[in-house]
């Protein structure tokens, strides 16, 4: 008889939700986390779209350590000396099921783990699982934790983007460097009312999500981000690993330092105190680099299965991880009840993912990673074009005004009208 019904590796969004579902179904479940506590190693931008969390914890707004509800969406095209921002706000964004919240993973992940523990899941911290146990037929039957071998009917891999185990589980290859980005982030403490005023929010419970393209990565594939927490601002940069290594104009930490000093950002964080500096990888290849999500005795959920997408105007990974964790936990519990945790017995998990927004959305955005990677003008070209166009439009210096067509055409021609049309068409097709 196995030591546990299920072992979950990793206590991020996917792992703790999977453990919660298994424990709620009465299963003996062990979560093994390499960090000293849940969230110790985790990082996000970040904002969680609430819809999938709500399905697991209907009252999470009352209990979870969420930061501010996002009511402003800002997107900026940033050149070294200018910044063009679109600011969108709408009542629709606050409606239940359509709402989203800034989160800090240290506190948020500990809360998720607590929910699983309250249902009876057991946690051990500070151990990185490096090896899966298999029986003679090759079925996964447990994990090696330090010197100990712990067995289970089913193992759920929720160990994030840098998984050591998906290769052993389902033969997944390391994602290629062009499909991975590296993120660095600082959490900058400021009084709540100062943040509220600076982002023009209506109250200390509301805030903004802000994505930047252009100078924040020195024109390299990637972008900057800013999310408002209750009493801090999360500010960071995400840059394509291959692009930065091959033709990046600055190391990623320097990109972040320069972003902090940009005239559009410096006033926002003025007087703030850096209380956290973190780095993490982001899987950006989406469904194109997704491994098999079911193996014999094993399931994969969240970033370890590449369930993440960066669309340029939004980043999503946590809502996928929560939903996949829920489906993995529920399907694993049913397979245990049926006495069949073979690949065939666990196959309903894949079907559930296919029928849900997780695989439907990732399929829909199949062409985005390739498009974004080759959308060089978005990072170097368009920000400068928009700066020049806006300077032409807004600056009055006594020079006789030219007809708009005459003043704008040379600016647009620097990028090329055909290039512009090509990029608009490409974006429409990919998105
Ligand atoms: C800079 C950045 C910005 C982002 N912004 C957003 C955003 O705004 N919105 C959004 O939805 N998503 C965002 N994401 C993506 C999102 O954070 C991830 O998609 C999400 O955290 C995935 O959850 P997960 O549970 O699969 O993995 P993780 O949260 O990475 O959890 C994996 C867990 O497994 C543990 N672990 C790893 N290996 C082992 C091992 N061998 N043994 C034991 N434990 C192990 C880790 O310590 C960790 O606790 C961002 C990511 C980054 C890096």
């Amino acid at each position: 008889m196995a030591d546990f019904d299920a072992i979950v590796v990793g206590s991020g969004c996917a792992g703790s939700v999977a453990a919660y579902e298994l424990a709620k179904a009465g299963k003996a479940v062990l979560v093994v986390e390499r960090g000293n506590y849940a969230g110790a190693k985790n990082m996000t931008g970040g904002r969680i779209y609430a819809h999938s969390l709500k399905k697991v914890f209907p009252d999470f707004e009352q209990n979870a350590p969420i930061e501010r509800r996002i009511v402003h969406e800002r997107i900026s095209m940033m050149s070294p000396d200018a910044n063009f921002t679109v600011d969108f706000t709408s009542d629709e964004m606050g409606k239940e099921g359509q709402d989203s919240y800034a989160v800090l993973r240290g506190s948020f992940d500990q809360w998720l783990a607590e929910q699983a523990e309250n249902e009876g899941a057991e946690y051990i911290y500070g151990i990185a699982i490096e090896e899966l146990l298999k029986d003679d037929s090759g079925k996964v039957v447990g994990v090696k934790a330090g010197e100990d071998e712990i067995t289970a009917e089913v193992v759920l891999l929720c160990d994030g983007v840098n998984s050591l185990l998906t290769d052993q589980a389902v033969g997944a290859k390391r994602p290629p460097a062009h499909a991975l980005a590296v993120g660095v982030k600082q959490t900058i403490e400021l009084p709540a009312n100062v943040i509220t005023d600076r982002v023009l929010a209506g109250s200390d419970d509301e805030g903004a999500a802000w994505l930047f393209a252009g100078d924040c990565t020195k024109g390299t594939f990637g972008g900057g981000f800013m999310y408002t927490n209750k009493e801090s601002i999360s500010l960071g940069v995400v840059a394509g690993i291959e692009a930065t290594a091959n033709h990046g104009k600055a190391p990623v930490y320097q990109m972040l330092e320069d972003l902090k000093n940009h005239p559009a950002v410096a006033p926002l964080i003025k007087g703030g105190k850096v209380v956290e500096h973190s780095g993490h990888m982001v899987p950006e290849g989406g469904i194109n680099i997704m491994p098999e999500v079911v193996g014999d005795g094993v399931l994969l959920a969240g970033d370890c299965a590449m369930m993440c997408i960066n669309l340029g105007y939004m980043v999503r990974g946590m809502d996928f991880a929560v939903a996949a964790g829920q489906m993995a936990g529920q399907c694993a519990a049913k397979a245990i009840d049926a006495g069949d945790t073979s690949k065939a017995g666990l196959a309903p998990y894949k079907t559930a993912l296919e029928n849900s927004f997780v695989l439907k959305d990732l399929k829909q955005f199949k062409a985005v990673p390739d498009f974004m990677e080759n959308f060089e003008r978005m990072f170097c070209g368009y920000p400068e074009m928009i700066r020049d166009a806006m300077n032409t439009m807004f600056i009055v210096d006594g020079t006789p005004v030219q007809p708009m067509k005459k003043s704008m055409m040379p600016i647009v021609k620097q990028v090329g009208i055909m290039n512009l049309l090509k990029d608009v068409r490409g974006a429409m097709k990919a998105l």
Side-chain angles (χ1 to χ4, degrees), residues 290-327:
M290 186 177 279
E292 276 288 330
V293 292
V294 179
D296 221 7
V298 66
L299 295 177
L300 280 59
D303 271 12
C304 73
M306 307 292 131
M307 294 173 182
C308 186
I309 195 86
N310 183 353
L311 301 176
Y313 60 91
M314 66 165 58
V315 183
R316 285 175 62 190
M318 288 186 284
D319 64 325
F320 292 136
V322 167
Q326 185 180 34
M327 287 181 254

Side-chain angles (χ1 to χ4, degrees), residues 14-15 18 154-158 170 290-295 297-307 320-335 340 342-356 358-359 362:
V154 58
V155 174
L156 291 87
L157 298 187
C158 304
V170 292
M290 186 177 279
E292 276 288 330
V293 292
V294 179
V298 66
L299 295 177
L300 280 59
D303 271 12
C304 73
M306 307 292 131
M307 294 173 182
F320 292 136
V322 167
Q326 185 180 34
M327 287 181 254
Q330 289 173 344
C331 291
K334 281 188 189 149
D340 182 5
S342 68
K343 189 170 180 182
L346 294 170
Y349 169 56
K350 190 170 178 190
T351 312
L353 283 174
E354 277 166 352
N355 291 335
S356 75
V358 176
L359 280 190
L362 288 168

Side-chain angles (χ1 to χ4, degrees), residues 10 13-14 33-34 42 44-45 47 105 129 159 303 315 317-318:
C13 296
E33 163 59 45
R34 70 181 168 151
N42 298 350
T44 192
R47 159 250 294 269
R105 293 293 297 275
I129 303 294
D159 51 341
D303 271 12
V315 183
M318 288 186 284

Side-chain angles (χ1 to χ4, degrees), residues 191-211:
N193 64 319
V194 171
I195 296 172
T196 304
D197 292 348
R198 287 184 185 175
V199 300
L200 308 178
S203 78
D204 293 352
D205 294 325
E206 296 184 338
W210 197 344
L211 297 185

Side-chain angles (χ1 to χ4, degrees), residues 39-112:
K41 303 271 185 187
N42 298 350
M43 170 195 174
T44 192
R47 159 250 294 269
I48 185 163
Y49 292 93
H51 62 106
S52 54
L53 190 63
K54 184 106 194 141
K55 291 207 176 98
V56 188
F57 306 110
D59 300 324
F60 81 91
E61 296 98 328
Q62 276 87 58
N63 313 313
I66 44 177
E67 301 290 325
R68 294 176 186 236
R69 187 158 59 89
I70 302 298
V71 296
H72 281 273
E73 300 283 351
R74 292 193 181 133
I75 302 175
S76 284
M77 299 289 268
M78 182 175 261
S79 47
D81 53 342
N83 192 50
F84 173 82
T85 301
V86 176
D87 180 352
F88 177 71
T89 184
S90 134
D91 288 349
E92 289 292 312
M93 283 161 54
K95 289 194 179 151
E96 199 170 307
Q98 301 179 171
D99 44 349
S100 65
Y101 300 86
V103 286
L104 289 165
R105 293 293 297 275
S107 48
F108 185 67
D109 287 15
Q110 285 179 67
W111 178 82
L112 282 178

